[in-house]
């Protein structure tokens, strides 16, 4: 196990100043700074490296996320976003002198468009939950990291996660068509499009895999694939309806 950051290295006065500024617009339950509350966030799946964050925030709305980023920017406080904390690359390792921004409260599935084969979800939705929501339409989300029952789509976007299906269907970058969120300064940004193509440079591919440094994602539009059963059913309907009628013998 990795060595945790000694608590005496955290500037208590600075910690209280930051927590007070964040609690000016966040509920008290959404700003954690006591050791017993922040210790569970000291690492992600890569437990060899640990740091206790100075403050942890758990916003529930996009406006709150934006204000957290704007406040931290104004105060010169570093911010690290966190999904489910299942990653093995240390991407969610918190700063000992900064704020850990947890997106765990963003768990809503906005909509599933069966015709466009797109699922629009918030970043705290589990990877496997996307497939569960799309299943009634004969669809599923292809990228399947080994932690798909627990990892979130926001973390997948930040890490450009893959899985055993990536050989055929590609990584997260090949299966996400649009993201919405904020830059680290709190500026609203939307990259990509649910249309077949988006004008301009492919900044979506640049943002995916950036570990939250370029964008804190608040909404993801992911493309879905027809399930095997749906493909087989469609083929049976096609071959049945397309078979020419037999003429009765004269």
């Amino acid at each position: 196990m990795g060595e945790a950051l000694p608590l005496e290295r955290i500037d208590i006065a600075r910690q209280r100043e930051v927590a007070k500024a964040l609690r000016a617009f966040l509920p008290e339950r959404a700003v954690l700074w006591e050791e017993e509350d922040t210790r569970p966030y000291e690492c992600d799946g890569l437990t060899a490296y640990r740091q206790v964050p100075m403050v942890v925030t758990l916003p529930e709305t996009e406006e709150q996320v934006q204000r957290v980023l704007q406040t931290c920017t104004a105060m010169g406080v570093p911010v690290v976003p966190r999904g489910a904390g299942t990653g093995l690359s240390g991407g969610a390792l918190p700063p000992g002198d900064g704020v850990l921004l947890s997106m765990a409260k963003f768990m809503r599935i906005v909509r599933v468009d069966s015709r466009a084969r797109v699922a629009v979800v918030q970043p705290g939705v589990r990877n496997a939950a996307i497939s569960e929501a799309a299943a009634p339409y004969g669809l599923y989300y292809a990228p399947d990291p080994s932690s798909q029952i627990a990892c979130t789509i926001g973390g997948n976007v930040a890490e450009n996660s893959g899985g055993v299906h990536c050989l055929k269907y590609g990584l997260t970058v090949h299966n996400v068509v649009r993201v919405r969120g904020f830059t680290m300064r709190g500026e609203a940004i939307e990259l990509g499009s649910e249309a077949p193509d988006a004008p301009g440079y492919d900044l979506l591919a640049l943002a995916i895999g950036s570990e939250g440094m370029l964008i804190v994602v608040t909404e993801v539009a992911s493309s879905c694939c027809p399930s095997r059963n749906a493909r087989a059913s469609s083929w049976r309907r096609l071959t049945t309806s397309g078979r020419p009628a037999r003429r009765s013998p004269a």
Side-chain angles (χ1 to χ4, degrees):
M1 296 177 65
E3 181 181 359
L5 177 72
L7 290 180
E8 58 267 21
R9 288 177 54 186
I10 293 180
D11 186 334
I12 302 300
R14 178 66 164 166
Q15 181 186 50
R16 291 178 178 175
E17 178 189 10
V18 173
K20 181 180 179 180
L22 294 171
R23 282 183 171 176
F25 58 88
L26 288 174
E28 185 174 345
R29 67 180 183 277
V31 182
L32 312 178
W33 59 279
E34 297 284 357
E35 178 194 356
E36 61 184 12
D37 297 321
T38 59
R39 180 69 70 178
Y41 296 91
E42 66 182 356
C43 67
D44 56 11
L46 185 65
T47 58
Y49 302 93
R50 298 169 179 263
Q51 285 190 0
V52 178
M54 182 171 68
V55 177
V56 176
T57 60
L58 296 97
E60 300 180 12
T61 67
E62 288 185 307
E63 181 185 2
Q64 290 177 350
V65 172
Q66 184 178 35
R67 292 196 64 181
V68 167
L69 295 170
Q70 290 173 339
T71 300
C72 289
T73 297
M75 300 182 71
V77 178
V79 178
V80 169
R82 176 186 172 103
T86 60
L88 299 174
S89 67
L93 183 68
D97 60 345
V99 169
L100 183 73
L101 176 58
S102 172
M103 301 300 290
K105 299 289 187 178
F106 286 74
M107 302 173 60
R108 189 165 65 93
I109 295 175
V110 179
R111 58 183 168 85
V112 177
D113 187 334
S114 59
R115 291 183 178 273
R117 297 178 182 174
V118 170
V120 180
V121 302
Q122 291 186 324
V125 173
R126 295 179 298 109
N127 177 295
I130 299 177
S131 293
E132 293 167 4
Y137 305 96
L139 303 171
Y140 75 103
Y141 180 62
D144 55 341
S146 58
S147 59
Q148 69 176 147
I149 62 172
C151 67
T152 60
I153 186 64
N156 292 171
V157 169
E159 298 288 336
N160 191 23
S161 304
V164 295
H165 281 153
C166 68
L167 182 63
K168 181 176 182 179
Y169 296 103
L171 303 168
T172 300
V173 69
H174 304 110
N175 291 273
V176 168
V177 296
R178 178 182 62 82
V179 298
R180 187 175 74 208
F182 301 97
T183 66
M184 297 307 290
R185 293 183 176 181
E187 301 163 330
I189 186 173
E190 184 167 320
L191 304 175
S193 170
E194 294 176 42
D197 198 7
Y201 295 109
D202 186 11
L203 299 179
L204 177 63
L206 180 65
I208 295 176
S210 65
E211 297 187 345
M213 291 187 292
L214 299 182
I215 181 174
V216 177
V217 174
T218 57
E219 186 176 276
V220 180
S222 58
S223 59
C224 296
C225 302
S227 65
R228 183 174 181 180
N229 291 338
R231 291 197 299 268
S233 177
S234 298
W235 175 251
R236 284 195 298 270
R237 289 197 300 269
L238 177 64
T239 55
T240 301
S241 61
R243 184 180 301 138
R246 296 183 180 180
R247 292 183 179 181
S248 301

